[in-house]
Amino acid sequence: MSGNGTTAGDDPLQTAVWRLRSRACWADAAALLPAATAAAALQRTALLVERCLYTEAGWEEAEDALRTAEALAHSDEERGAAACERGYLAYAATLHGVRDRADEARSALGRAAALIAPGAPGRALLDFRRGLIAENLTRSAQAARAAYRRAHAGATARPDPLLLSFTWRHLAGLALREGELAEARHGFAESLRIREELGYLVGTAPALVSLADTEEEPEASRLREEARRLFRLLGGVPTWLTRQLAPPGAATA
């Protein structure tokens, strides 16, 4: 996920893009952006890559947007950002079983790390995405935690509240797997709080489900039912919540 969550100042274009993005209307948000500049091409790419992760669709459009962003990138920062998006798209394709692009994901994020200096804009997001690869592809919880903590520190310092919601969430997930229930509950609650404050609707249902996994009844059921409501409101997005949010007792194929 792109860490650029809230609007930049009072820019009406960015406000409109954010509102559409947060409601799972990535294609509509991308259509608002001009294609002639590197910054706009990178933002358009980020939106369409995020759509792939949440919907498991739109892969070719994201690839086209990414190639445009790569062609328009001239500075190290721009090339690094484009490499970061390529790595994230390859990660998403691997995660969803579209095609195994794990090596491409690692290579692209490695290029991004060589181009984006520590402390530079975009470094915290890169660290977070490297954590995702360590957690979900390499299966190294230790490396993932270190990367998430670097990303968390960077997102706190900048600040980047949307990225913080992701670092809280993933650090909490690692804590939950290690049996640290109180730590996990705190992290998931912080992630949910930030997403609700930002109005990031598309990310709120996953946050509710994660928090429910740390709560007792009847609170756990209340949180899951709220997640189902949002899931239906957004047309079944994110798709990977479908099985988790199946009504109790529903038949499975």
Side-chain angles (χ1 to χ4, degrees), residues 16-236:
V17 168
W18 168 250
R19 287 176 176 167
L20 289 166
R21 173 191 176 187
S22 67
R23 289 160 176 78
C25 300
W26 295 281
D28 292 337
L32 295 179
L33 296 167
T37 68
L42 284 166
Q43 188 178 7
R44 186 172 187 275
T45 298
L47 289 165
L48 296 177
V49 171
E50 184 172 278
R51 180 178 66 168
C52 292
L53 189 72
Y54 275 79
T55 69
E56 302 178 59
W59 303 98
E60 290 185 8
E61 192 173 357
E63 289 281 3
D64 288 345
L66 177 56
R67 284 191 287 270
T68 298
E70 289 170 334
L72 290 172
H74 297 297
S75 68
D76 282 351
E77 182 179 355
E78 291 166 352
R79 286 192 291 269
C84 190
E85 292 302 329
R86 177 160 293 285
Y88 195 45
L89 182 59
Y91 162 79
T94 306
L95 188 71
H96 285 312
V98 176
R99 184 158 58 91
D100 185 353
R101 298 171 60 180
D103 289 343
E104 180 187 354
R106 294 187 186 96
S107 176
L109 294 188
R111 286 199 308 277
L115 291 164
I116 303 173
R123 186 69 191 209
L125 180 61
L126 170 61
D127 285 334
F128 173 70
R129 289 174 173 177
R130 297 181 92 178
L132 291 175
I133 286 181
E135 179 181 2
N136 297 314
L137 302 187
T138 309
R139 305 296 181 186
S140 173
Q142 183 177 359
R145 183 178 293 102
Y148 291 150
R149 285 177 174 167
R150 289 194 301 273
H152 192 83
T156 301
R158 187 142 299 271
D160 185 337
L162 182 60
L163 182 55
L164 268 178
S165 83
F166 282 95
T167 55
W168 273 121
R169 171 174 164 77
H170 284 267
L171 286 167
L174 293 176
L176 183 61
R177 282 196 286 277
E178 293 176 355
E180 299 293 338
L181 189 61
E183 182 182 344
R185 183 183 296 116
H186 174 70
F188 287 139
E190 283 298 295
S191 178
L192 176 61
R193 176 187 63 79
I194 293 169
R195 291 178 183 197
E196 288 181 334
E197 288 178 355
L198 294 176
Y200 188 56
L201 290 181
V202 74
T204 300
L208 287 163
V209 171
S210 294
L211 183 58
D213 289 340
T214 69
E215 296 285 359
E216 297 180 355
E217 296 296 350
E219 180 65 7
S221 289
R222 186 194 69 79
L223 290 167
R224 289 192 180 96
E225 186 52 41
E226 177 63 13
R228 287 188 192 97
R229 186 188 69 80
L230 284 173
F231 181 70
R232 291 192 297 266
L233 179 69
L234 295 175

